[in-house]
Structures are given as C-alpha cells and as structure tokens.
Amino acid sequence: MGNNCTYISVILPLKLSWEPYYSLPETMSAEVGDRVAVSFSGCRYLGVVSGTGITPEEDTLARILPVREIRADKERILPKEIEFWRRIAEYYMCTVGQVYKAAYPSVKNQDVKPHKTEEKVIGAKEHIELSDGSSRMLQSVRTALENGRTALLTSVDSERILAELCLANNRGNTVWIVPELKMEKDMQERLQDIFGSRLILWGSDMTPARKRKAADKVRKGNVPYIVLGTRSALFLPHHDLSLVIVGDEHDSSHKQNSPAPRYNGRDAAILLASTFGAGCVLESVTPSLESLYNCLCGKYVHIKSERATHVGFDIVNTNAELRKNGMCGYISRRLMACEPDRTAIFKPLRAAFPKMEELEPQIVRTMGEGVFITDDSASRPFPESCRYIGIFGADAMLGKSDFRADERLFQTIWRAVATGPSSIENVLIHTREAGHPVFKALQAGDITPLMEERKAFNMPPFTRIVDIRIVDKFDDRARRMGGKLASIAEKVAGRGKVMQGDGGIRILLNRDSTLKQKKRKLIELVSSFEIENKYPDHLYFDVDPV
C-alpha cells in the first residue's frame, strides 16, 4: 500500500465495538457522513465515514483494506445524526453500528424510486382557538421551553395545545412521536386539517417508496416540517430541529424490545432534543413515575389541569362483601344499587379475568340491558349521561412479578375516568386486595403512595435497571452461565443489587455520577465473559426494561 493513501474510519451496520479503518487512494476523497461500499470479513457493506485524516499504527497498515466505492448516489449522513447515534449507543449499551442499522435498515439502502405523483400544497391554519385554561397551559409550556426545561403536559386538551404550539413554532422543525400506529392513524386526519402540507407522516406500514419520499422531504424540506410518527421517526435525517413532542409518554409501546438498540422512544426523544438544543414536551394524562420523579427533582416542569374534585373512588372489597352475602357473582350489591341507564362497566383489555363472556351475562341479569359495557380500546368512550363506573379485572392486572403492574393499573383506571364525561360522580372498583397502595393512590388522586413504595424497595425511578439477557436453547446451560455472570456483576453493581432469573440477570444501579462508568464496566465484563467462557452471541443488554 503506497504512501499516497489517506485513511478513514467507517461505521458498519454490525455489532462492532470499534470502527474499522479503510484506505482511500489519492483519486478518491471523502467527508464525514459519506456513504462508502467496503468489505469486511469477506462481505460487502454500505458504511458511513465517521472520521477522516486517520493515522493508523504502522503495524496495522498491511491489514487495512481499500474502500471499494464512494456511493455518491446515497444521501450523506448529517453530523447531528451520527452524534445522536453515539448518544443512543452509549445509553442503551449497544454499538453505534447497531444504531446505524436501525436508522438505515436494508430497505433504505435499496435504490427505491418513489412514484412521481403531484402533491397538492395545502396551507396550514394560522392558529387554533383554545379555552382560557388551555391557553394558560400553553403559555406555561412556552415559558418552560424558553427556560430550557422539559415540559410534562397533563391535559385532556393536550392535542390542541400541542398543535397550537407547533403552528407557532417558526424557529425550526418539529417531530411528534406517538406510541402506536393506531394512534397515529387516529390523529392523522385531524392534524392534516391543521398543518396542511407541513405534516409528514412516518410509520411501519408505509411502503419503501413512501418512506423514501418522506425521508427526502425531511432532509430537503425548506418549509418548516412537522413529522408525526412512531419512535423510528426519531432516526429520520432531521435538521434545524427546534421542538420534539412525545405523546402518551407513559406508554410501554414506546419501548423497542428487539433488536438493538432496545431504546425507549420517550427517552431517545429527549436525547434527540438535547442533541439539537431543541425544546421537548412530554404529554400524558397519566404520566410515568419516571417523568413525575424528574418533575419532583426540578428537571422537568409539570403543567397540568385540575381534575374535577367531585369524582370519588369507592373500593369494593369483594372478600368482605362475600362474607355478608353482598355479591351476586362478580357484581356487588353496591353496584347493582346504581341507576342502570347511567352506569358504565369498564374492564381493562389487559385484565384476563373475569372473562367478558362470563361478566357480561351477569351484568345484564342483575342490572338490565341499559348498562354500558366497554374497555380501554378507546373505540367506545363512556356516554355523556354516565354517573357511575364499575371497574372489574383490577386484581388480574396486579402481576406479582412485574414491579410496574401497579403503575399500569393506576394509569389505566385514571385515564378512563379523566378522559370521560364531566358527569361521572363515583367509581366502584371491585378487588380482593383493597389495601393495595394503588387503590390508596386512586382515592387520594395522587400517585405518591406508589412512589413511596418504589423508594422503599429501591426500584426505578430511584434506581436504573440493566438486564443482561441470555439466549440459549439449553436451559440448564443458560442458568449455569447466569449464575456465573451474576457473581461477577456484583463487583460492578457496588451498592446496587443483582438478581438472577430464568432469562438472565437483572442489575439495579444507583442513579448517581458513577452510572455511566458502571455501564461501561458491564460492557467490558460481558465481552470478557463471552471470550473466557467461549459463549459468544448469547448475551445482550436491555436498559430500562418496561
């Protein structure tokens, strides 16, 4: 290899903890972000130039391969994109190559020609009429953003407040993510009517051509855009980003479970906003304990509307009711005493028991056919005349092995009531665990009892969880390796806690200045463990599992 070569580092879409060097002949030139075709381990990949002017060590020169081709037909990766990838990789304990692969999957690397269609230009509205209360909340959000704080917005009118915030955002572009594709579809028509051609949609159901077209609009758009999509919209080639919004920030669907990076869309959105110096708004009628904790710490500003104080939560202790013959099947006599035509029965979809096919005939038999029956699918809201709500299946949602189960149950019930009509007066929750903290929290209208329980057991949000998952077709070997791994991990956890389960180990790390350092040590530990035990490709990290 002659002296006329220059050297570059390249990010490959692989699980590599390092970025390989390649040589460029003097006839080629490349800049950071250029796409290059290279060979690695006998295979050809499309990589991203991450560094130029590299000076390799002398003894490595003979092993450095030349770049096969500069792919000028591929869009250059923006510096902010690479910066964002690195931050995601560091936090979620994966490699930047894995993040690149997620941001630019194979479908993006194909030469997809979008259909040429005439796009009708639709103007955006100038503003949205808001109530006095919503206008005050909007001003509070603006003040928080101007002061460089993340805003947590809790309001049943949040969509209109955020839409008005987007309309007035003339400093740059906006990305608005939601947890599920169904929610995006529900919002699409309403927001298109408000934003017109400024709205760019992004979702997993889009064809490759439509995705390419949407990505091009984001990359090249001169008019301030507003992207509406699920979590993968964060990896679009954003530029001049000034506002990031996370809808239903509490929803576990924001979390990517597989493959890497196993990121949470909410926390990744906060990282993206920080990368661009953009404002960030988290929205939820039932915020997560993590976000409420950040509000208590002063990191976020909580902007919320007050819930009507006349709604009461009555806990029907079904064990006690059974002893005094106060139950008819699943139905309490207290519920049967309510006006049937002004009563709604609510059973969360996640609650496997009681089964609806058993519950519904009992309701009709004891209360008549005028009772409204629904779940949390959002397709059948409570009728405006509703005064009483009977809630079933709460016990089925209190999973003993899931420390977030009580939080999810609180959110499910609270959301159903908070988004219901103002006519609701009383909520009767049927349960065998009347003393559970989640019911105390509902009666108090305050999630503090759940927060205190988490603190007592040293669980998130007061600590961070890192799971090391083991994938092995031999269960006995997986358990044996898990035991060995747990004993080693205890040295890294320090004052934290290490627990072994069937699928791997769980590590609780304290939220302090040593967190980043401990994560790096865990990565080194796993790498050494795989080599020493000849156990490659069986372990992966899951940070902040939900």
Side-chain angles (χ1 to χ4, degrees):
M1 195 171 295
N3 294 327
N4 294 327
C5 292
T6 58
Y7 298 93
I8 60 173
S9 58
V10 176
I11 297 171
L12 298 178
L14 299 171
K15 184 183 176 182
L16 292 177
S17 59
W18 50 286
E19 293 165 27
Y21 295 159
Y22 289 90
S23 64
L24 280 174
E26 60 181 352
T27 56
M28 288 186 185
S29 63
E31 298 180 20
V32 171
D34 280 345
R35 313 284 283 283
V36 290
V38 296
S39 295
F40 185 85
S41 293
C43 297
R44 182 168 175 164
Y45 295 98
L46 185 62
V48 180
V49 178
S50 58
T52 58
I54 303 294
T55 304
E57 295 181 5
E58 193 69 29
D59 59 349
T60 66
L61 292 177
R63 298 194 298 272
I64 296 178
L65 298 174
V67 168
R68 298 173 66 102
E69 183 184 3
I70 305 288
R71 292 296 302 269
D73 59 318
K74 296 294 181 183
E75 300 83 357
R76 178 175 291 170
I77 306 300
L78 303 175
K80 290 291 185 184
E81 288 185 84
I82 298 177
E83 182 183 346
F84 179 51
W85 297 350
R86 294 196 187 284
R87 298 183 72 176
I88 291 288
E90 179 185 41
Y91 187 86
Y92 289 101
M93 301 172 74
C94 61
T95 70
V96 70
Q98 289 174 301
V99 183
Y100 164 46
K101 185 177 181 179
Y104 284 81
S106 58
V107 68
K108 285 188 180 180
N109 291 332
Q110 295 172 2
D111 295 320
V112 178
K113 295 182 179 180
H115 298 296
K116 293 184 178 180
T117 56
E118 288 293 327
E119 185 171 323
K120 186 178 179 181
V121 177
I122 305 171
K125 289 186 176 181
E126 293 185 4
H127 64 89
I128 299 171
E129 292 293 333
L130 298 175
S131 67
D132 290 343
S134 293
S135 294
R136 287 192 295 270
M137 295 181 74
L138 173 60
Q139 186 53 49
S140 296
V141 171
R142 285 173 171 158
T143 301
L145 298 182
E146 288 167 2
N147 292 331
R149 308 278 293 283
T150 295
L152 174 62
L153 177 63
T154 299
S155 170
V156 293
D157 196 28
S158 59
E159 185 179 304
R160 290 171 59 80
I161 294 171
L162 293 172
E164 177 64 15
L165 183 67
C166 293
L167 284 175
N169 177 35
N170 296 318
R171 296 191 302 113
N173 299 310
T174 301
V175 57
W176 186 339
I177 68 164
V178 292
E180 295 178 326
L181 197 61
K182 181 181 181 300
M183 186 179 295
E184 180 189 344
K185 297 298 183 187
D186 291 342
M187 296 171 62
Q188 178 179 332
E189 186 174 345
R190 296 192 299 271
L191 294 189
Q192 277 184 327
D193 184 53
I194 295 170
F195 300 134
S197 300
R198 289 179 59 187
L199 186 68
I200 300 173
L201 301 173
W202 182 266
S204 58
D205 64 331
M206 294 169 60
T207 64
R210 287 182 62 203
K211 284 189 173 184
R212 178 64 178 269
K213 185 176 181 179
D216 285 345
K217 286 181 69 175
V218 170
R219 180 180 284 105
K220 301 171 184 177
N222 296 320
V223 177
Y225 63 73
I226 300 160
V227 172
L228 174 67
T230 48
R231 60 179 177 267
S232 60
L234 299 172
F235 292 104
L236 286 167
H238 295 291
H239 60 90
D240 301 320
L241 202 60
S242 62
L243 180 61
V244 178
I245 297 172
V246 182
D248 273 3
E249 62 85 25
H250 70 279
D251 199 306
S252 59
S253 296
H254 278 299
K255 183 72 159 74
Q256 164 83 4
N257 293 315
S258 186
R262 294 171 174 84
Y263 66 101
N264 188 307
R266 175 195 64 209
D267 300 328
I270 295 169
L271 284 177
L272 181 67
S274 174
T275 301
F276 279 87
C280 186
V281 182
L282 309 180
E283 176 276 324
S284 176
V285 175
T286 53
S288 62
L289 286 182
E290 279 79 6
S291 294
L292 290 173
Y293 175 82
N294 283 324
C295 291
L296 293 173
C297 294
K299 190 175 179 181
Y300 299 169
V301 177
H302 195 183
I303 300 151
K304 56 183 177 178
S305 57
E306 295 300 324
R307 182 178 70 93
T309 55
H310 64 270
V311 178
F313 286 86
D314 285 347
I315 309 304
V316 179
N317 187 332
T318 54
N319 285 332
E321 292 294 314
L322 281 168
R323 286 195 294 270
K324 56 186 180 182
N325 295 320
M327 296 290 292
C328 182
Y330 294 118
I331 320 297
S332 71
R333 296 196 183 276
R334 289 164 63 185
L335 182 60
M336 285 188 282
C338 297
E339 304 168 70
D341 58 344
R342 305 198 69 178
T343 300
I345 302 299
F346 177 82
K347 189 182 88 74
L349 285 172
R350 290 184 179 181
F353 299 99
K355 294 180 179 179
M356 188 58 81
E357 56 264 32
E358 297 175 2
L359 179 62
E360 194 164 346
Q362 290 186 22
I363 294 168
V364 174
R365 186 170 62 251
T366 57
M367 300 185 69
E369 296 184 353
V371 178
F372 182 82
I373 303 173
T374 189
D375 53 36
D376 49 347
S377 64
S379 59
R380 299 187 69 208
F382 297 126
E384 289 299 321
S385 61
C386 179
R387 289 179 60 189
Y388 311 101
I389 299 176
I391 294 184
F392 294 85
D395 294 348
M397 288 188 66
L398 289 173
K400 304 298 183 183
S401 60
D402 181 4
F403 76 93
R404 296 188 190 275
D406 52 358
E407 179 184 3
R408 291 195 181 103
L409 178 58
F410 179 95
Q411 290 166 341
T412 299
I413 296 175
W414 191 269
R415 186 179 189 84
V417 175
T419 58
S422 58
S423 58
I424 296 172
E425 297 177 7
N426 205 19
V427 180
L428 293 88
I429 303 174
H430 292 61
T431 176
R432 293 176 179 270
E433 301 185 45
H436 196 285
V438 71
F439 303 123
K440 295 178 183 178
L442 285 164
Q443 287 181 309
D446 187 354
I447 208 164
T448 300
L450 301 187
M451 194 79 81
E452 290 174 346
E453 186 182 40
R454 293 281 187 89
K455 187 175 183 180
F457 288 94
N458 202 32
M459 296 295 285
F462 299 93
T463 53
R464 292 293 193 196
I465 291 180
V466 175
D467 281 351
I468 303 178
R469 310 297 298 173
I470 300 176
V471 181
D472 196 326
K473 62 182 180 179
F474 301 110
D475 293 341
D476 57 337
R477 183 173 66 179
R479 284 191 292 271
R480 187 172 68 253
M481 289 297 180
K484 292 176 67 174
L485 193 59
S487 63
I488 301 171
E490 286 176 352
K491 300 175 183 177
V492 178
R495 291 180 299 163
K497 186 178 180 182
V498 179
M499 297 168 283
Q500 184 180 359
D502 291 338
I505 65 172
R506 169 160 290 182
I507 306 166
L508 294 178
L509 298 175
N510 292 322
R511 290 180 61 149
D512 55 30
S513 58
T514 67
L515 183 60
K516 285 186 178 181
Q517 180 185 1
K518 286 177 179 176
K519 282 184 173 181
R520 286 193 290 268
K521 285 185 178 179
L522 284 173
I523 292 172
E524 294 170 2
L525 180 153
V526 166
S527 179
S528 300
F529 183 88
E530 288 178 322
I531 294 170
E532 291 169 8
N533 292 274
K534 298 180 180 179
Y535 200 57
D537 301 323
H538 288 282
L539 307 176
Y540 68 84
F541 291 103
D542 189 3
V543 179
D544 300 339
V546 296

